[in-house]
Amino acid sequence: QVQVVESGGGLVQAGGSLKLSCTASGTSFSIDHVDWYRQPPEKQREWVAGMPGSGVRSVTGRFTVSRDNAKSAVNLSIDRLKPEDTGIYYCNVRGLRNMRGSLLQFDIWGPGTQVTVFS
């Protein structure tokens, strides 16, 4: 069965940058549709960025979604980090594309990766 895992979180100073990665295991298919969510401490989970197969959208220009074909992963780059960016970041894979180009739709969540920003 396909599993999704996030990586790249950690303790980061405000103003810095980091890159989170989302990888899918158990399949040789590529990630097509992916969304990123953030859950701040004691708050509801919120959508922050996404890549619906093509193009990108984000809640702020400091968040950028990109592909890393060499690692078969999708990345979330965060620039000019702020303390309010602190939270657990989740990758939600919605679509995988096989070698024939066919899209397989899923709703797979990773366990999340913690991002803590200090000033």
Side-chain angles (χ1 to χ4, degrees):
Q1 186 175 4
V2 178
Q3 292 182 316
V4 173
V5 62
E6 306 90 343
S7 63
L11 185 63
V12 186
Q13 187 174 18
S17 302
L18 60 75
K19 181 174 68 177
L20 308 181
S21 295
C22 174
T23 59
S25 62
T27 178
S28 60
F29 301 163
S30 60
I31 298 176
D32 183 83
H33 183 181
V34 62
D35 288 298
W36 286 90
Y37 293 80
R38 176 183 65 198
Q39 185 171 12
E42 301 180 349
K43 294 183 179 180
Q44 297 294 322
R45 184 181 303 178
E46 61 181 352
W47 178 92
V48 295
M51 182 175 61
S54 61
V56 297
R57 296 290 187 275
S58 62
V59 68
T60 170
R62 298 185 296 108
F63 288 61
T64 304
V65 180
S66 62
R67 298 183 186 276
D68 188 345
N69 293 324
K71 299 180 179 180
S72 300
V74 172
N75 300 324
L76 174 65
S77 298
I78 310 176
D79 298 322
R80 303 186 303 280
L81 282 158
K82 302 178 180 180
E84 51 263 42
D85 293 326
T86 293
I88 304 175
Y89 285 74
Y90 298 90
C91 174
N92 178 214
V93 173
R94 302 302 307 277
L96 299 173
R97 193 170 296 277
N98 63 19
M99 294 178 292
R100 296 175 58 87
S102 299
L103 180 65
L104 306 177
Q105 299 186 37
F106 296 92
D107 186 10
I108 309 173
W109 292 82
T113 184
Q114 176 70 46
V115 173
T116 303
V117 183
F118 65 93
S119 60

